[in-house]
Amino acid sequence: MKQKLSLSSEFNEMKTLIEEEEKIAAKLIEEEENKAASQVADALDQINTQLDKLKEYKEQLDSLLSHTGSMHFWKSIGELPAISLKACTPPNPAEVNVRKVELVQKVVSALKQVLVRELKAPMQQRINQVDRAEKTKLKALANPDQRMDTNKTKAKASNSPDQVPSAGQPNKESSPSDPLEPPPFQTANPPEGKQARKKKLFNVATLPMTRCELLQYKSKITFDHRTAHKKLLVRNEYTHLSVADQLQPYPDHPGRFVNCVQVLGLQSFSSGCHYWEVNNEGSNFWAIGLAYVSLDRQGSRSRLGRSPLSWCLESFGQKLSVWHRGQEAILHVSQPRIIGVHLNYNQGIVAFYSVTDSMMRLFYYEVEFQGRVFPAFWLGNIGTTLSLVQF
């Protein structure tokens, strides 16, 4: 039943994204239409003004021509105002940005072609393709040497320090600094010239492994209601989240998520070590992670882990995985109920834990942070709840 609800939620999200695209495209075309209509209205006003002046001049001429035999005619004809050629000049034609309209049509057509191409393939065929791709990923994860040779995310997964691949190399893939996608923030001390900032070697053995160690870095986190999607209910002094049946009457805000049912934390971090815990209360559709404030608020890239601007641990039904840059790594461990998030900003580490009597480190990323990061949360469907653990 939960899987069915999740599928419904996923399809609804896709419908919302397409509807949003339609609204944006229609708005762009409407802007050009309104611009042209305004120019036409101005032209009509100009023409009517010219006609009124010509009518007035004609009436004066008709009146004078009825007295051509008198001195009044010769006196008055010299007093007639001269008609400027500008008064008879036709108005400029309405200008429409034809190129802009054509580009909008091409973008929509390209999106349609992608959808048609994907959906023409039978569902079973696409299922088989995904199955093969996941098996290939699992083989890559099982062979660290092979994984290090690829250009994919060089994140490290572990259940114990002994299982972690060798560390020490900066994870450039995890940084939002990308030639095609500039970082959202300027670093405090940008590199001089072409000399890149050197990152200290990281020793995985230094990661905390007990809750007692982690609680040394405990930080108070609350949800920022200004960023909360309108289907989220934020309660208990901004420490409890749930998905509502209907949209809430929250005011519009530029930081509010529009498509994905997400929210950011109110607190942000740009240095030091921090730790917080989240209780999913038995829910199976959620994501917990970190994001830059510049994370998109609408569109497919606004979902946690689907761009270079966020990282997350995600539960999707019975599947537990981590996401970054749109790349997924599946974790073959039991679903955690309480999730711990450890951030070592200066060292560039984001680690996820399953909080139990014997703490289990689920996964960690090595990151070259480019600015402040915020705790981030996604809720998948109605019935999903998340609450921040109060220390």
Side-chain angles (χ1 to χ4, degrees):
M1 183 63 181
K2 287 184 177 180
Q3 284 79 0
K4 190 174 180 180
L5 286 173
S6 173
L7 284 174
S8 177
S9 175
E10 290 287 308
F11 277 108
N12 285 335
E13 187 174 327
M14 287 188 285
K15 291 175 186 175
T16 302
L17 289 172
I18 291 175
E19 289 172 356
E20 192 67 27
E21 281 288 293
E22 181 184 3
K23 289 178 183 177
I24 293 171
K27 184 179 179 182
L28 292 172
I29 299 298
E30 187 178 350
E31 286 175 355
E32 291 303 314
E33 290 178 345
N34 291 339
K35 181 180 175 182
S38 176
Q39 293 175 358
V40 170
D42 291 342
L44 286 174
D45 289 341
Q46 184 180 341
I47 291 171
N48 288 330
T49 301
Q50 293 174 357
L51 286 174
D52 290 340
K53 289 181 178 179
L54 290 173
K55 287 178 180 178
E56 182 180 352
Y57 195 79
K58 181 177 180 299
E59 289 173 357
Q60 292 177 357
L61 279 177
D62 290 341
S63 176
L64 288 176
L65 291 173
S66 63
H67 302 86
T68 54
S70 66
M71 290 297 298
H72 173 74
F73 170 78
W74 298 106
K75 182 179 179 181
S76 298
I77 197 168
E79 296 176 354
L80 280 174
I83 297 180
S84 171
L85 290 176
K86 290 184 178 180
C88 301
T89 302
N92 295 326
E95 295 181 359
V96 178
N97 191 338
V98 178
R99 177 62 177 164
K100 181 179 179 180
V101 174
E102 289 178 348
L103 288 174
V104 171
Q105 291 175 331
K106 287 181 179 179
V107 168
V108 173
S109 178
L111 176 60
K112 178 186 174 183
Q113 289 175 8
V114 171
L115 290 174
V116 170
R117 184 172 63 249
E118 290 295 322
L119 296 178
K120 271 188 176 180
M123 174 69 79
Q124 188 59 50
Q125 180 181 332
R126 283 177 275 142
I127 290 172
N128 293 339
Q129 289 174 348
V130 172
D131 184 44
R132 286 194 296 271
E134 289 195 351
K135 287 178 180 178
T136 302
K137 281 187 180 180
L138 287 175
K139 288 180 182 178
L141 287 171
N143 188 342
D145 294 332
Q146 180 183 354
R147 185 169 74 250
M148 293 299 291
D149 290 336
T150 66
N151 291 324
K152 296 183 179 180
T153 304
K154 297 179 179 64
K156 278 69 174 179
S158 67
N159 291 329
S160 69
D162 295 334
Q163 293 176 316
V164 179
S166 60
Q169 298 184 3
N171 183 3
K172 295 181 181 179
E173 285 295 319
S174 291
S175 168
S177 180
D178 188 296
L180 299 179
E181 190 156 0
F185 299 92
Q186 181 65 40
T187 55
N189 297 303
E192 296 181 2
K194 295 183 179 180
Q195 182 67 30
R197 183 178 56 188
K198 292 183 179 179
K199 183 180 175 183
K200 295 180 180 178
L201 294 179
F202 172 66
N203 182 1
V204 67
T206 62
L207 273 176
M209 277 307 298
T210 68
R211 191 165 186 259
C212 184
E213 290 178 279
L214 289 163
L215 288 178
Q216 295 179 67
Y217 311 114
K218 63 183 179 183
S219 299
K220 181 175 176 57
I221 303 295
T222 53
F223 301 121
D224 185 355
H225 66 281
R226 297 169 302 177
T227 65
H229 187 279
K230 291 187 177 182
K231 287 203 73 174
L232 285 176
L233 288 172
V234 186
R235 295 176 292 185
N236 296 355
E237 298 181 342
Y238 308 108
T239 62
H240 187 276
L241 278 180
S242 60
V243 182
D245 294 332
Q246 298 178 340
L247 296 178
Q248 302 303 298
Y250 298 147
D252 291 334
H253 189 277
R256 192 176 303 286
F257 286 100
V258 176
N259 300 131
C260 297
V261 184
Q262 296 180 167
V263 65
L264 296 182
L266 181 63
Q267 295 72 20
S268 63
F269 307 107
S270 59
S271 64
C273 293
H274 307 274
Y275 176 74
W276 59 95
E277 293 178 349
V278 186
N279 190 335
N280 61 46
E281 302 183 11
S283 304
N284 288 327
F285 295 94
W286 48 263
I288 297 165
L290 284 174
Y292 290 105
V293 72
S294 54
L295 179 67
D296 292 345
R297 293 306 193 265
Q298 57 184 344
S300 59
R301 289 166 64 85
S302 66
R303 177 88 169 261
L304 291 185
R306 273 56 173 186
S307 77
L309 305 179
S310 62
W311 305 256
C312 76
L313 172 72
E314 179 182 283
S315 172
F316 197 87
Q318 300 304 310
K319 182 178 68 171
L320 187 69
S321 57
V322 287
W323 283 87
H324 176 58
R325 282 184 176 268
Q327 297 191 22
E328 179 186 32
I330 299 174
L331 308 181
H332 298 281
V333 296
S334 301
Q335 289 275 351
R337 183 180 180 91
I338 299 178
I339 301 91
V341 182
H342 174 57
L343 167 67
N344 184 332
Y345 189 98
N346 297 347
Q347 191 65 58
I349 298 297
V350 182
F352 300 102
Y353 293 80
S354 174
V355 180
T356 59
D357 292 337
S358 56
M359 295 285 288
M360 178 187 294
R361 188 172 64 239
L362 300 170
F363 205 91
Y364 76 91
Y365 282 106
E366 286 189 65
V367 183
E368 293 180 7
F369 290 116
Q370 301 293 315
R372 288 182 171 274
V373 288
F374 293 73
F377 311 85
W378 169 78
L379 286 79
N381 59 12
I382 297 172
T384 301
T385 58
L386 293 176
S387 59
L388 295 165
V389 176
Q390 303 302 299
F391 301 117

